[in-house]
Amino acid sequence: MAVADDIALIQKQEAELVFSVFDEAVAFKIGSTIRDRALAQGLPIIVDIRTFDRPLFYAAMPGSNASNPDWARRKINVVQRFLKSTYRMVLEQQRPDRSFKPGEGLDISDYVLAGGGFPITVKGAGVIGVIAVSGLPEREDHGVVVDALCSHLGVDGRQLALPPEAK
């Protein structure tokens, strides 16, 4: 699958994975779903779910490390600024150094091009927050979030899942 196809599919994910309501209970349910999967599969990740004004859910799995929360924080900043998933930004920007172009004025210590941050979009309100996962290769971080959202929203995840990355 070409990069353009992946971008189009991620745009479809962002358009379809929309909440009618999002609150603390929803954040806890989605966060717990991701945590349960991580424990069952031994995924060394952290999960950070927040609205733009406050944290709602955080969990660190065995094997995650001290860098993961900082990666998640920088992914959260990217979603808040651009209102789209960080993996989509990675594919659109094509910057192997993980930084934004100098003209963007975005410091690498606060913004990173790395997959795993996904916008929380509420119908009638727009993007209100972020679900961030860090600890796996970026395409997999992204997929963990999309899987959990599909499950919660009752969307057929097979229709929205990115295919495995070509090696």
Side-chain angles (χ1 to χ4, degrees):
M1 190 175 246
V3 170
D5 294 329
D6 281 352
I7 292 169
L9 185 51
I10 294 168
Q11 288 172 319
K12 183 176 180 182
Q13 293 168 348
E14 293 169 358
E16 292 188 19
L17 298 175
V18 174
F19 295 87
S20 57
V21 128
F22 189 89
D23 59 16
E24 295 84 355
V26 173
F28 186 81
K29 187 170 183 182
I30 293 169
S32 296
T33 296
I34 295 171
R35 179 186 177 276
D36 291 347
R37 175 183 172 186
L39 289 172
Q41 296 178 359
L43 305 178
I45 61 174
I46 65 101
V47 183
D48 191 339
I49 301 176
R50 59 184 56 231
T51 55
F52 292 138
D53 66 342
R54 65 195 173 104
L56 300 176
F57 182 94
Y58 182 88
M61 302 301 106
S64 62
N65 63 55
S67 295
N68 296 132
D70 193 52
W71 278 88
R73 177 188 62 82
R74 296 184 298 156
K75 294 174 188 185
I76 289 164
N77 289 344
V78 170
V79 174
Q80 186 169 6
R81 180 160 182 123
F82 295 97
L83 306 177
K84 54 187 172 180
S85 78
T86 57
Y87 193 52
R88 178 175 156 197
M89 295 292 299
V90 167
L91 297 174
E92 289 174 346
Q93 299 286 320
Q94 294 291 306
R95 305 242 333 145
D97 65 357
R98 300 278 179 210
S99 67
F100 286 85
K101 295 174 187 164
E104 294 283 344
L106 301 176
D107 192 317
I108 190 74
S109 65
D110 289 321
Y111 297 87
V112 68
L113 287 168
F118 198 90
I120 298 167
T121 305
V122 176
K123 186 176 181 177
V127 179
I128 63 153
V130 184
I131 300 172
V133 167
S134 178
L136 302 172
E138 63 190 341
R139 191 176 183 96
E140 292 174 43
D141 279 348
H142 178 86
V144 166
V145 176
V146 170
D147 287 348
L149 289 173
C150 287
S151 176
H152 180 82
L153 295 168
V155 173
D156 184 356
R158 295 170 297 186
Q159 301 298 315
L160 292 180
L162 290 170
E165 196 165 24
K167 305 266 176 183

PDB file of all heavy atoms in Angstrom, residues 76-101:
ATOM      1  N   ILE A  76       0.893  14.270  21.967  1.00  0.00           N
ATOM      2  CA  ILE A  76      -0.303  15.006  22.391  1.00  0.00           C
ATOM      3  C   ILE A  76      -0.227  16.447  21.903  1.00  0.00           C
ATOM      4  O   ILE A  76      -1.212  16.992  21.387  1.00  0.00           O
ATOM      5  CB  ILE A  76      -0.472  14.920  23.927  1.00  0.00           C
ATOM      6  CG1 ILE A  76      -0.878  13.490  24.313  1.00  0.00           C
ATOM      7  CG2 ILE A  76      -1.466  15.955  24.438  1.00  0.00           C
ATOM      8  CD1 ILE A  76      -0.703  13.167  25.783  1.00  0.00           C
ATOM      9  N   ASN A  77       0.928  17.067  22.037  1.00  0.00           N
ATOM     10  CA  ASN A  77       1.097  18.448  21.566  1.00  0.00           C
ATOM     11  C   ASN A  77       0.848  18.572  20.066  1.00  0.00           C
ATOM     12  O   ASN A  77       0.262  19.555  19.608  1.00  0.00           O
ATOM     13  CB  ASN A  77       2.500  18.965  21.899  1.00  0.00           C
ATOM     14  CG  ASN A  77       2.696  19.209  23.383  1.00  0.00           C
ATOM     15  OD1 ASN A  77       1.745  19.291  24.150  1.00  0.00           O
ATOM     16  ND2 ASN A  77       3.953  19.309  23.784  1.00  0.00           N
ATOM     17  N   VAL A  78       1.286  17.572  19.304  1.00  0.00           N
ATOM     18  CA  VAL A  78       1.082  17.597  17.851  1.00  0.00           C
ATOM     19  C   VAL A  78      -0.402  17.502  17.514  1.00  0.00           C
ATOM     20  O   VAL A  78      -0.912  18.263  16.683  1.00  0.00           O
ATOM     21  CB  VAL A  78       1.898  16.476  17.160  1.00  0.00           C
ATOM     22  CG1 VAL A  78       1.504  16.336  15.691  1.00  0.00           C
ATOM     23  CG2 VAL A  78       3.397  16.748  17.291  1.00  0.00           C
ATOM     24  N   VAL A  79      -1.108  16.585  18.159  1.00  0.00           N
ATOM     25  CA  VAL A  79      -2.546  16.467  17.891  1.00  0.00           C
ATOM     26  C   VAL A  79      -3.255  17.759  18.271  1.00  0.00           C
ATOM     27  O   VAL A  79      -4.105  18.252  17.530  1.00  0.00           O
ATOM     28  CB  VAL A  79      -3.164  15.258  18.633  1.00  0.00           C
ATOM     29  CG1 VAL A  79      -4.683  15.247  18.463  1.00  0.00           C
ATOM     30  CG2 VAL A  79      -2.570  13.956  18.121  1.00  0.00           C
ATOM     31  N   GLN A  80      -2.889  18.332  19.403  1.00  0.00           N
ATOM     32  CA  GLN A  80      -3.548  19.568  19.830  1.00  0.00           C
ATOM     33  C   GLN A  80      -3.311  20.702  18.838  1.00  0.00           C
ATOM     34  O   GLN A  80      -4.209  21.479  18.558  1.00  0.00           O
ATOM     35  CB  GLN A  80      -3.065  19.980  21.220  1.00  0.00           C
ATOM     36  CG  GLN A  80      -3.829  21.176  21.759  1.00  0.00           C
ATOM     37  CD  GLN A  80      -3.564  21.428  23.225  1.00  0.00           C
ATOM     38  OE1 GLN A  80      -2.730  20.793  23.857  1.00  0.00           O
ATOM     39  NE2 GLN A  80      -4.290  22.378  23.784  1.00  0.00           N
ATOM     40  N   ARG A  81      -2.137  20.762  18.266  1.00  0.00           N
ATOM     41  CA  ARG A  81      -1.821  21.842  17.325  1.00  0.00           C
ATOM     42  C   ARG A  81      -2.445  21.637  15.952  1.00  0.00           C
ATOM     43  O   ARG A  81      -2.937  22.566  15.328  1.00  0.00           O
ATOM     44  CB  ARG A  81      -0.320  22.001  17.192  1.00  0.00           C
ATOM     45  CG  ARG A  81       0.056  23.100  16.219  1.00  0.00           C
ATOM     46  CD  ARG A  81       1.446  23.567  16.443  1.00  0.00           C
ATOM     47  NE  ARG A  81       1.772  24.644  15.538  1.00  0.00           N
ATOM     48  CZ  ARG A  81       2.176  25.818  15.938  1.00  0.00           C
ATOM     49  NH1 ARG A  81       2.290  26.094  17.206  1.00  0.00           N
ATOM     50  NH2 ARG A  81       2.494  26.741  15.052  1.00  0.00           N
ATOM     51  N   PHE A  82      -2.398  20.391  15.450  1.00  0.00           N
ATOM     52  CA  PHE A  82      -2.810  20.126  14.068  1.00  0.00           C
ATOM     53  C   PHE A  82      -4.177  19.434  13.946  1.00  0.00           C
ATOM     54  O   PHE A  82      -4.699  19.304  12.839  1.00  0.00           O
ATOM     55  CB  PHE A  82      -1.744  19.304  13.341  1.00  0.00           C
ATOM     56  CG  PHE A  82      -0.455  20.052  13.170  1.00  0.00           C
ATOM     57  CD1 PHE A  82       0.596  19.870  14.062  1.00  0.00           C
ATOM     58  CD2 PHE A  82      -0.284  20.961  12.142  1.00  0.00           C
ATOM     59  CE1 PHE A  82       1.793  20.564  13.911  1.00  0.00           C
ATOM     60  CE2 PHE A  82       0.898  21.665  11.975  1.00  0.00           C
ATOM     61  CZ  PHE A  82       1.946  21.470  12.874  1.00  0.00           C
ATOM     62  N   LEU A  83      -4.709  18.941  15.060  1.00  0.00           N
ATOM     63  CA  LEU A  83      -6.036  18.311  15.105  1.00  0.00           C
ATOM     64  C   LEU A  83      -6.160  17.101  14.186  1.00  0.00           C
ATOM     65  O   LEU A  83      -7.208  16.847  13.588  1.00  0.00           O
ATOM     66  CB  LEU A  83      -7.139  19.336  14.806  1.00  0.00           C
ATOM     67  CG  LEU A  83      -7.137  20.591  15.683  1.00  0.00           C
ATOM     68  CD1 LEU A  83      -8.230  21.548  15.245  1.00  0.00           C
ATOM     69  CD2 LEU A  83      -7.248  20.244  17.155  1.00  0.00           C
ATOM     70  N   LYS A  84      -5.087  16.349  14.080  1.00  0.00           N
ATOM     71  CA  LYS A  84      -5.106  15.103  13.321  1.00  0.00           C
ATOM     72  C   LYS A  84      -4.114  14.130  13.937  1.00  0.00           C
ATOM     73  O   LYS A  84      -3.296  14.510  14.778  1.00  0.00           O
ATOM     74  CB  LYS A  84      -4.843  15.328  11.842  1.00  0.00           C
ATOM     75  CG  LYS A  84      -3.595  16.090  11.489  1.00  0.00           C
ATOM     76  CD  LYS A  84      -3.587  16.373   9.975  1.00  0.00           C
ATOM     77  CE  LYS A  84      -2.474  17.290   9.563  1.00  0.00           C
ATOM     78  NZ  LYS A  84      -2.483  17.536   8.116  1.00  0.00           N
ATOM     79  N   SER A  85      -4.193  12.875  13.510  1.00  0.00           N
ATOM     80  CA  SER A  85      -3.349  11.854  14.128  1.00  0.00           C
ATOM     81  C   SER A  85      -1.876  12.084  13.807  1.00  0.00           C
ATOM     82  O   SER A  85      -1.514  12.583  12.744  1.00  0.00           O
ATOM     83  CB  SER A  85      -3.772  10.456  13.682  1.00  0.00           C
ATOM     84  OG  SER A  85      -3.294  10.174  12.399  1.00  0.00           O
ATOM     85  N   THR A  86      -1.055  11.681  14.759  1.00  0.00           N
ATOM     86  CA  THR A  86       0.381  11.888  14.587  1.00  0.00           C
ATOM     87  C   THR A  86       0.946  10.974  13.504  1.00  0.00           C
ATOM     88  O   THR A  86       1.898  11.351  12.823  1.00  0.00           O
ATOM     89  CB  THR A  86       1.128  11.681  15.907  1.00  0.00           C
ATOM     90  OG1 THR A  86       0.864  10.363  16.414  1.00  0.00           O
ATOM     91  CG2 THR A  86       0.713  12.719  16.938  1.00  0.00           C
ATOM     92  N   TYR A  87       0.383   9.779  13.324  1.00  0.00           N
ATOM     93  CA  TYR A  87       0.912   8.920  12.266  1.00  0.00           C
ATOM     94  C   TYR A  87       0.602   9.513  10.897  1.00  0.00           C
ATOM     95  O   TYR A  87       1.423   9.428   9.980  1.00  0.00           O
ATOM     96  CB  TYR A  87       0.388   7.485  12.397  1.00  0.00           C
ATOM     97  CG  TYR A  87       1.148   6.515  11.522  1.00  0.00           C
ATOM     98  CD1 TYR A  87       2.544   6.457  11.568  1.00  0.00           C
ATOM     99  CD2 TYR A  87       0.497   5.684  10.642  1.00  0.00           C
ATOM    100  CE1 TYR A  87       3.256   5.594  10.762  1.00  0.00           C
ATOM    101  CE2 TYR A  87       1.199   4.799   9.836  1.00  0.00           C
ATOM    102  CZ  TYR A  87       2.579   4.760   9.891  1.00  0.00           C
ATOM    103  OH  TYR A  87       3.286   3.904   9.086  1.00  0.00           O
ATOM    104  N   ARG A  88      -0.540  10.114  10.758  1.00  0.00           N
ATOM    105  CA  ARG A  88      -0.848  10.826   9.511  1.00  0.00           C
ATOM    106  C   ARG A  88       0.180  11.939   9.284  1.00  0.00           C
ATOM    107  O   ARG A  88       0.670  12.123   8.161  1.00  0.00           O
ATOM    108  CB  ARG A  88      -2.256  11.399   9.578  1.00  0.00           C
ATOM    109  CG  ARG A  88      -2.647  12.196   8.351  1.00  0.00           C
ATOM    110  CD  ARG A  88      -4.097  12.620   8.446  1.00  0.00           C
ATOM    111  NE  ARG A  88      -4.365  13.791   7.648  1.00  0.00           N
ATOM    112  CZ  ARG A  88      -5.429  14.561   7.791  1.00  0.00           C
ATOM    113  NH1 ARG A  88      -6.329  14.300   8.720  1.00  0.00           N
ATOM    114  NH2 ARG A  88      -5.614  15.594   7.022  1.00  0.00           N
ATOM    115  N   MET A  89       0.524  12.665  10.341  1.00  0.00           N
ATOM    116  CA  MET A  89       1.532  13.731  10.217  1.00  0.00           C
ATOM    117  C   MET A  89       2.881  13.158   9.778  1.00  0.00           C
ATOM    118  O   MET A  89       3.559  13.735   8.945  1.00  0.00           O
ATOM    119  CB  MET A  89       1.685  14.477  11.550  1.00  0.00           C
ATOM    120  CG  MET A  89       0.466  15.248  12.003  1.00  0.00           C
ATOM    121  SD  MET A  89       0.072  16.670  10.962  1.00  0.00           S
ATOM    122  CE  MET A  89       1.546  17.659  11.134  1.00  0.00           C
ATOM    123  N   VAL A  90       3.253  12.017  10.346  1.00  0.00           N
ATOM    124  CA  VAL A  90       4.508  11.354   9.961  1.00  0.00           C
ATOM    125  C   VAL A  90       4.513  11.093   8.459  1.00  0.00           C
ATOM    126  O   VAL A  90       5.483  11.408   7.756  1.00  0.00           O
ATOM    127  CB  VAL A  90       4.690  10.022  10.726  1.00  0.00           C
ATOM    128  CG1 VAL A  90       5.801   9.172  10.111  1.00  0.00           C
ATOM    129  CG2 VAL A  90       4.961  10.278  12.193  1.00  0.00           C
ATOM    130  N   LEU A  91       3.432  10.512   7.966  1.00  0.00           N
ATOM    131  CA  LEU A  91       3.360  10.142   6.553  1.00  0.00           C
ATOM    132  C   LEU A  91       3.304  11.377   5.654  1.00  0.00           C
ATOM    133  O   LEU A  91       3.889  11.384   4.567  1.00  0.00           O
ATOM    134  CB  LEU A  91       2.153   9.237   6.310  1.00  0.00           C
ATOM    135  CG  LEU A  91       2.199   7.888   7.034  1.00  0.00           C
ATOM    136  CD1 LEU A  91       0.889   7.140   6.836  1.00  0.00           C
ATOM    137  CD2 LEU A  91       3.386   7.054   6.598  1.00  0.00           C
ATOM    138  N   GLU A  92       2.613  12.404   6.094  1.00  0.00           N
ATOM    139  CA  GLU A  92       2.520  13.628   5.296  1.00  0.00           C
ATOM    140  C   GLU A  92       3.842  14.397   5.265  1.00  0.00           C
ATOM    141  O   GLU A  92       4.218  14.949   4.232  1.00  0.00           O
ATOM    142  CB  GLU A  92       1.414  14.538   5.846  1.00  0.00           C
ATOM    143  CG  GLU A  92       0.025  14.018   5.595  1.00  0.00           C
ATOM    144  CD  GLU A  92      -1.061  14.842   6.259  1.00  0.00           C
ATOM    145  OE1 GLU A  92      -0.754  15.678   7.133  1.00  0.00           O
ATOM    146  OE2 GLU A  92      -2.238  14.645   5.902  1.00  0.00           O
ATOM    147  N   GLN A  93       4.523  14.438   6.379  1.00  0.00           N
ATOM    148  CA  GLN A  93       5.746  15.251   6.490  1.00  0.00           C
ATOM    149  C   GLN A  93       6.988  14.552   5.937  1.00  0.00           C
ATOM    150  O   GLN A  93       7.906  15.212   5.466  1.00  0.00           O
ATOM    151  CB  GLN A  93       5.995  15.650   7.953  1.00  0.00           C
ATOM    152  CG  GLN A  93       4.883  16.489   8.560  1.00  0.00           C
ATOM    153  CD  GLN A  93       4.874  17.906   8.044  1.00  0.00           C
ATOM    154  OE1 GLN A  93       5.918  18.516   7.873  1.00  0.00           O
ATOM    155  NE2 GLN A  93       3.685  18.426   7.786  1.00  0.00           N
ATOM    156  N   GLN A  94       7.050  13.220   6.075  1.00  0.00           N
ATOM    157  CA  GLN A  94       8.195  12.446   5.561  1.00  0.00           C
ATOM    158  C   GLN A  94       9.538  13.029   6.030  1.00  0.00           C
ATOM    159  O   GLN A  94      10.425  13.318   5.222  1.00  0.00           O
ATOM    160  CB  GLN A  94       8.143  12.373   4.025  1.00  0.00           C
ATOM    161  CG  GLN A  94       6.970  11.580   3.489  1.00  0.00           C
ATOM    162  CD  GLN A  94       7.077  10.100   3.766  1.00  0.00           C
ATOM    163  OE1 GLN A  94       8.064   9.467   3.426  1.00  0.00           O
ATOM    164  NE2 GLN A  94       6.063   9.535   4.400  1.00  0.00           N
ATOM    165  N   ARG A  95       9.683  13.200   7.349  1.00  0.00           N
ATOM    166  CA  ARG A  95      10.910  13.769   7.922  1.00  0.00           C
ATOM    167  C   ARG A  95      11.586  12.711   8.807  1.00  0.00           C
ATOM    168  O   ARG A  95      11.164  12.486   9.932  1.00  0.00           O
ATOM    169  CB  ARG A  95      10.589  15.011   8.738  1.00  0.00           C
ATOM    170  CG  ARG A  95       9.832  16.047   7.949  1.00  0.00           C
ATOM    171  CD  ARG A  95      10.447  17.361   7.750  1.00  0.00           C
ATOM    172  NE  ARG A  95      11.373  17.790   8.756  1.00  0.00           N
ATOM    173  CZ  ARG A  95      12.443  18.504   8.445  1.00  0.00           C
ATOM    174  NH1 ARG A  95      12.697  18.831   7.195  1.00  0.00           N
ATOM    175  NH2 ARG A  95      13.256  18.904   9.385  1.00  0.00           N
ATOM    176  N   PRO A  96      12.637  12.058   8.306  1.00  0.00           N
ATOM    177  CA  PRO A  96      13.271  10.980   9.073  1.00  0.00           C
ATOM    178  C   PRO A  96      13.885  11.434  10.400  1.00  0.00           C
ATOM    179  O   PRO A  96      14.105  10.615  11.282  1.00  0.00           O
ATOM    180  CB  PRO A  96      14.340  10.439   8.127  1.00  0.00           C
ATOM    181  CG  PRO A  96      14.513  11.460   7.070  1.00  0.00           C
ATOM    182  CD  PRO A  96      13.259  12.269   7.011  1.00  0.00           C
ATOM    183  N   ASP A  97      14.122  12.732  10.563  1.00  0.00           N
ATOM    184  CA  ASP A  97      14.701  13.204  11.825  1.00  0.00           C
ATOM    185  C   ASP A  97      13.658  13.428  12.907  1.00  0.00           C
ATOM    186  O   ASP A  97      13.974  13.840  14.017  1.00  0.00           O
ATOM    187  CB  ASP A  97      15.516  14.478  11.612  1.00  0.00           C
ATOM    188  CG  ASP A  97      14.674  15.669  11.163  1.00  0.00           C
ATOM    189  OD1 ASP A  97      13.451  15.520  10.951  1.00  0.00           O
ATOM    190  OD2 ASP A  97      15.255  16.757  11.011  1.00  0.00           O
ATOM    191  N   ARG A  98      12.372  13.157  12.599  1.00  0.00           N
ATOM    192  CA  ARG A  98      11.262  13.251  13.552  1.00  0.00           C
ATOM    193  C   ARG A  98      10.914  14.683  13.960  1.00  0.00           C
ATOM    194  O   ARG A  98      10.119  14.907  14.854  1.00  0.00           O
ATOM    195  CB  ARG A  98      11.534  12.452  14.831  1.00  0.00           C
ATOM    196  CG  ARG A  98      11.755  11.008  14.600  1.00  0.00           C
ATOM    197  CD  ARG A  98      10.432  10.345  14.475  1.00  0.00           C
ATOM    198  NE  ARG A  98      10.615   8.927  14.213  1.00  0.00           N
ATOM    199  CZ  ARG A  98       9.768   8.230  13.537  1.00  0.00           C
ATOM    200  NH1 ARG A  98       8.687   8.780  13.067  1.00  0.00           N
ATOM    201  NH2 ARG A  98       9.965   6.962  13.323  1.00  0.00           N
ATOM    202  N   SER A  99      11.519  15.656  13.312  1.00  0.00           N
ATOM    203  CA  SER A  99      11.233  17.050  13.658  1.00  0.00           C
ATOM    204  C   SER A  99      10.417  17.709  12.543  1.00  0.00           C
ATOM    205  O   SER A  99      10.403  17.253  11.407  1.00  0.00           O
ATOM    206  CB  SER A  99      12.525  17.830  13.878  1.00  0.00           C
ATOM    207  OG  SER A  99      13.230  17.961  12.662  1.00  0.00           O
ATOM    208  N   PHE A 100       9.768  18.787  12.900  1.00  0.00           N
ATOM    209  CA  PHE A 100       9.040  19.573  11.913  1.00  0.00           C
ATOM    210  C   PHE A 100      10.022  20.489  11.185  1.00  0.00           C
ATOM    211  O   PHE A 100      11.103  20.790  11.686  1.00  0.00           O
ATOM    212  CB  PHE A 100       7.939  20.391  12.593  1.00  0.00           C
ATOM    213  CG  PHE A 100       6.775  19.563  13.009  1.00  0.00           C
ATOM    214  CD1 PHE A 100       6.779  18.893  14.226  1.00  0.00           C
ATOM    215  CD2 PHE A 100       5.671  19.419  12.185  1.00  0.00           C
ATOM    216  CE1 PHE A 100       5.707  18.104  14.615  1.00  0.00           C
ATOM    217  CE2 PHE A 100       4.593  18.626  12.562  1.00  0.00           C
ATOM    218  CZ  PHE A 100       4.618  17.985  13.774  1.00  0.00           C
ATOM    219  N   LYS A 101       9.640  20.946  10.009  1.00  0.00           N
ATOM    220  CA  LYS A 101      10.488  21.863   9.244  1.00  0.00           C
ATOM    221  C   LYS A 101      10.792  23.085  10.092  1.00  0.00           C
ATOM    222  O   LYS A 101       9.919  23.560  10.851  1.00  0.00           O
ATOM    223  CB  LYS A 101       9.782  22.270   7.954  1.00  0.00           C
ATOM    224  CG  LYS A 101       9.568  21.128   7.000  1.00  0.00           C
ATOM    225  CD  LYS A 101       8.743  21.545   5.796  1.00  0.00           C
ATOM    226  CE  LYS A 101       8.421  20.315   4.960  1.00  0.00           C
ATOM    227  NZ  LYS A 101       7.352  20.546   4.013  1.00  0.00           N
TER     228      LYS A 101
END
